[in-house]
Amino acid sequence: AQSVAQPEDQVNVAEGNPLTVKCTYSVSGNPYLFWYVQYPNRGLQFLLKYITGDNLVKGSYGFEAEFNKSQTSFHLKKPSALVSDSALYFCAVSPMNRDDKIIFGKGTRLHILP
Amino acid sequence: DTEVTQTPKHLVMGMTNKKSLKCEQHMGHRAMYWYKQKAKKPPELMFVYSYEKLSINESVPSRFSPECPNSSLLNLHLHALQPEDSALYLCASSTRDGTYEQYFGPGTRLTVT
């Protein structure tokens, strides 16, 4: 069965420090991986994706993620956190043969402390 | 235009009412989705329309009835809902051309009294 795990319910980071939000996945075949962000009372916004190619993926708002096949991980990173990055972050995976279906992780709340 | 719009923003309805949620996109996307999201939880997929045909129904109760009148428009008809159906209902769309990411609307906050 396909699944996505986000082991941290909440991550606290001081403004200006680097941040990491963790994600591991389990899927048969090559995965399609995504990060989405959700601000309060809003829909989800697409941040970045890994489909194939370079393991380091760059996305919106200075975020990047590294695909690690051996560790089945796709951690989200940013070199210098902003208070405005505080939000709920979802990792998601799409099975290779089902591009119309996304499985979301439970979400990680990111708090950036001023 | 990279926007998915949803109306209304908020909806309060009684358990005997009939109401509809509307979603619209003008990005030429050929897949459209309905999700239900409870507070602090991930979105749960309800329905998928692909090329205007229903392709996925995640065993959703029949009190929720989706409709896709054309490639830009998606409706969700609601009838005889229960209080536990109160949630944020999100619409999304995607291209089906191999790019895979979904674009979400802001959602309709539904309260069933």
Side-chain angles (χ1 to χ4, degrees):
Chain A
Q2 339 277 4
S3 66
V4 178
Q6 293 181 245
E8 302 149 320
D9 289 334
Q10 183 166 310
V11 171
N12 297 321
V13 177
E15 187 177 26
N17 282 3
L19 69 87
T20 299
V21 183
K22 295 179 181 176
C23 172
T24 59
Y25 65 89
S26 173
V27 64
S28 54
N30 293 322
Y32 300 150
L33 296 158
F34 308 85
W35 276 101
Y36 288 83
V37 61
Q38 186 174 31
Y39 296 98
N41 299 311
R42 301 288 300 275
L44 277 70
Q45 285 179 237
F46 168 72
L47 274 181
L48 51 80
K49 66 182 177 185
Y50 173 82
I51 303 297
T52 186
D54 195 348
N55 289 343
L56 184 63
V57 178
K58 293 189 184 297
S60 306
Y61 312 121
F63 284 94
E64 59 189 29
E66 186 164 13
F67 171 63
N68 187 317
K69 189 171 184 177
S70 62
Q71 296 184 8
T72 62
S73 67
F74 190 57
H75 300 332
L76 181 70
K77 300 183 180 186
K78 187 173 182 181
S80 179
L82 300 172
V83 172
S84 57
D85 293 329
S86 299
L88 185 57
Y89 289 80
F90 291 102
C91 182
V93 64
S94 183
M96 189 174 69
N97 61 344
R98 291 307 304 268
D99 66 334
D100 58 347
K101 196 162 184 176
I102 285 184
I103 300 161
F104 287 95
K106 66 177 183 178
T108 297
R109 185 158 299 281
L110 179 62
H111 279 291
I112 307 302
L113 308 169
Chain B
D1 186 357
T2 58
E3 192 178 22
V4 176
T5 59
Q6 290 187 244
T7 54
K9 285 186 168 43
H10 301 275
L11 178 62
V12 179
M13 59 185 291
M15 290 189 284
T16 58
N17 291 160
K18 284 186 181 181
K19 296 286 185 183
S20 296
L21 309 185
K22 179 179 172 181
C23 172
E24 200 160 3
Q25 57 89 13
H26 295 286
M27 295 179 278
H29 290 175
R30 301 312 303 271
M32 295 185 76
Y33 310 77
W34 280 116
Y35 289 88
K36 174 183 178 181
Q37 186 181 26
K38 291 281 204 179
K40 301 181 182 179
K41 298 289 187 184
E44 299 171 23
L45 183 65
M46 300 174 71
F47 303 103
V48 181
Y49 274 83
S50 181
Y51 296 94
E52 297 153 58
K53 292 192 186 325
L54 184 64
S55 61
I56 295 177
N57 177 343
E58 293 285 82
S59 303
V60 179
S62 60
R63 57 186 184 269
F64 295 91
S65 175
E67 179 195 20
C68 188
N70 59 57
S71 60
S72 299
L73 191 56
L74 186 67
N75 298 320
L76 185 63
H77 303 298
L78 314 172
H79 173 55
L81 295 192
Q82 303 297 309
E84 60 264 28
D85 296 322
S86 299
L88 182 67
Y89 287 84
L90 295 166
C91 174
S93 68
S94 66
T95 62
R96 298 304 311 271
D97 67 354
T99 55
Y100 305 110
E101 65 266 28
Q102 294 182 16
Y103 293 85
F104 285 78
T108 293
R109 175 73 60 189
L110 174 67
T111 303
V112 181
T113 61

